[in-house]
Amino acid sequence: MQQIVITGGGAIGAAIAYFLAQHYGAQWQITVLERDPAYTCASSALSASSIRQQFSQPLNMAMSAFGWEFLSNAAQILSTPQHGVDLQLCERGYLYLASVAGADTLRRLHARQTAHGAQVSLLTPDALQQRFPWLATADLALASLGMAREGWFDGYALLMALRNKARALGVRFVQAEASGWQVQNGKVIAVTLRDGQSIACDVAVNAAGAWSARLHDPSGFVLPVEARRRTVFVLSSPASTPDCPLLIDPSGLWLRPEGKYWIAGMPPQADLPDLPLEPDHAQFQTLWETLAARIPAMEALRVQRAWAGYYEMNTHDHNAIIGPHPEYPNLWIATGFSGHGLQQAPAAGRASAEYLSTGRFQTLDLSALSPQRIVDGTRFTEECVI
């Protein structure tokens, strides 16, 4: 039985562990290292936890389509006698709004998305106003609304469900902080820890998310992954937004309902790496002005609270990096999801487990996401990054 050590117990690491144990358990003894088992800083626990089909890359559409099916059946797939699963999956769609400047792009993406099976409708300003009368549409030229397999869910519940199911299948979760890899004859032979100890392995996985690039690599290969802070505001308002989807404004502002509240955010003006994991309250003034212009009734609102989480941003091309290390064939990389990690975790977990166990992708071919593209200087570019 081979020893595999997964660094990072967030959604990606837990998904890889689950799929390995579920489908190839006789082959592996699986250990997951997580420095913070309370997940106080984990991107998986601090995400807005949404899922969509509206991407520019067909592979991203396919990964999220796989993710939707997995989430839809999670109660059956991931429940254990000790832990039931309710992800509160809400199918409400994404609504992308476009001005004249962005309308042609929306039409081009719509043609590609529908050609690959996404159920997406284009709405004129009149149709948009009729469907969502609470929206201001005077400056809009077009909108794109996801009609199926888009919405949001409880991301922390998914993380816990993957972790609990993996443990029930025999996966060992250990509180420890990795520092890098011990290499011999061109292969990783152990994961080194901050306290100076090491854990021997036949295969290692770097699924450390926003911290993945900080792990020492003797080959000198540098993952282009940075921790980029994103602030989420929880808002209350007397406004009414019936049937509100996840709204994406041309400004980059996003908003969706959350129970009796709404949550919202927008890209920071200075998107710097490694900022403190504290909400950027100075961002609220711009967010409020933008939101009130788009939904006039929300001029009256109150911030109930705010939190911040990290995107594990792949600065190379804003797409996941999944595959074998360019120098060490037994070091698997699964990081850099750039805000798409929770929705792509099931697909990334399944594909990683397949490749590690059989030497090839089966359910989905993720070869285009290989780390080798970083070395080669090629890009797998995603236009629809929020």
Side-chain angles (χ1 to χ4, degrees), residues 213-337:
R214 305 178 192 181
L215 298 175
H216 174 65
D217 187 332
S219 76
F221 175 66
V222 177
L223 280 168
V225 177
E226 297 179 350
R228 298 292 184 89
R229 184 179 66 187
R230 295 293 183 269
T231 299
V232 179
F233 295 93
V234 181
L235 309 173
S236 62
S237 173
S240 176
T241 59
D243 301 318
C244 184
L246 196 154
L247 178 72
I248 310 293
D249 190 72
S251 65
L253 176 143
W254 63 268
L255 170 106
R256 72 164 173 84
E258 181 67 25
K260 64 179 182 179
Y261 302 114
W262 294 262
I263 61 174
M266 63 189 311
Q269 289 187 336
D271 196 8
L272 302 175
D274 299 322
L275 293 172
L277 201 55
E278 300 171 355
D280 180 8
H281 292 283
Q283 198 178 23
F284 174 70
Q285 183 66 29
T286 301
L287 182 143
W288 173 53
E289 293 172 356
T290 307
L291 183 56
R294 183 59 59 207
I295 306 175
M298 293 197 78
E299 183 176 8
L301 58 80
R302 176 175 296 177
V303 177
Q304 295 298 315
R305 68 185 185 94
W307 79 83
Y310 285 135
Y311 272 11
E312 50 184 274
M313 186 67 78
N314 170 12
T315 59
H316 183 70
D317 60 14
H318 294 173
N319 266 300
I321 304 170
I322 304 174
H325 187 285
E327 298 293 333
Y328 311 132
N330 68 328
L331 173 56
W332 189 258
I333 296 172
T335 187
F337 287 80

Side-chain angles (χ1 to χ4, degrees), residues 80-373:
T80 70
Q82 294 76 29
H83 300 97
V85 174
D86 180 7
L87 302 187
Q88 300 184 37
L89 183 61
C90 177
E91 190 173 21
R92 194 76 69 80
Y94 273 60
L95 178 65
Y96 280 85
L97 306 177
S99 63
V100 172
D104 286 344
T105 297
L106 217 57
R107 292 187 188 96
R108 175 173 55 81
L109 292 175
H110 175 264
R112 186 181 305 171
Q113 290 157 2
T114 54
H116 287 87
Q119 298 178 46
V120 186
S121 293
L122 291 180
L123 302 177
T124 65
D126 287 345
L128 189 62
Q129 183 67 59
Q130 185 173 3
R131 186 162 189 153
F132 305 110
W134 39 268
L135 273 178
T137 61
D139 62 330
L140 300 177
L142 199 62
S144 177
L145 176 63
M147 307 303 293
R149 298 188 300 184
E150 290 192 340
W152 50 89
F153 58 97
D154 186 334
Y156 186 73
L158 173 63
L159 170 60
M160 289 295 102
L162 288 166
R163 178 184 168 98
N164 291 334
K165 184 68 172 185
R167 292 181 68 180
L169 293 168
V171 174
R172 187 169 66 117
F173 282 77
V174 175
Q175 182 177 2
E177 183 175 359
S179 60
W181 328 107
Q182 186 176 337
V183 175
Q184 184 176 308
N185 299 324
K187 295 184 70 176
V188 172
I189 61 170
V191 178
T192 56
L193 306 180
R194 292 289 177 194
D195 64 6
Q197 299 184 63
S198 62
I199 301 178
C201 62
D202 299 293
V203 176
V205 176
N206 183 355
W211 297 271
S212 56
R214 305 178 192 181
L215 298 175
H216 174 65
D217 187 332
S219 76
F221 175 66
V222 177
L223 280 168
V225 177
E226 297 179 350
R228 298 292 184 89
R229 184 179 66 187
R230 295 293 183 269
T231 299
V232 179
F233 295 93
V234 181
L235 309 173
S236 62
S237 173
S240 176
T241 59
D243 301 318
C244 184
L246 196 154
L247 178 72
I248 310 293
D249 190 72
S251 65
L253 176 143
W254 63 268
L255 170 106
R256 72 164 173 84
E258 181 67 25
K260 64 179 182 179
Y261 302 114
W262 294 262
I263 61 174
M266 63 189 311
Q269 289 187 336
D271 196 8
L272 302 175
D274 299 322
L275 293 172
L277 201 55
E278 300 171 355
D280 180 8
H281 292 283
Q283 198 178 23
F284 174 70
Q285 183 66 29
T286 301
L287 182 143
W288 173 53
E289 293 172 356
T290 307
L291 183 56
R294 183 59 59 207
I295 306 175
M298 293 197 78
E299 183 176 8
L301 58 80
R302 176 175 296 177
V303 177
Q304 295 298 315
R305 68 185 185 94
W307 79 83
Y310 285 135
Y311 272 11
E312 50 184 274
M313 186 67 78
N314 170 12
T315 59
H316 183 70
D317 60 14
H318 294 173
N319 266 300
I321 304 170
I322 304 174
H325 187 285
E327 298 293 333
Y328 311 132
N330 68 328
L331 173 56
W332 189 258
I333 296 172
T335 187
F337 287 80
S338 304
H340 309 140
L342 272 176
Q343 63 182 294
Q344 294 187 340
R350 175 70 191 200
S352 296
E354 289 171 349
Y355 195 103
L356 289 167
S357 301
T358 71
R360 64 187 181 91
F361 293 118
Q362 297 174 17
T363 306
L364 288 172
D365 185 354
L366 305 190
S367 300
L369 301 178
S370 169
Q372 186 62 42
R373 78 185 192 273

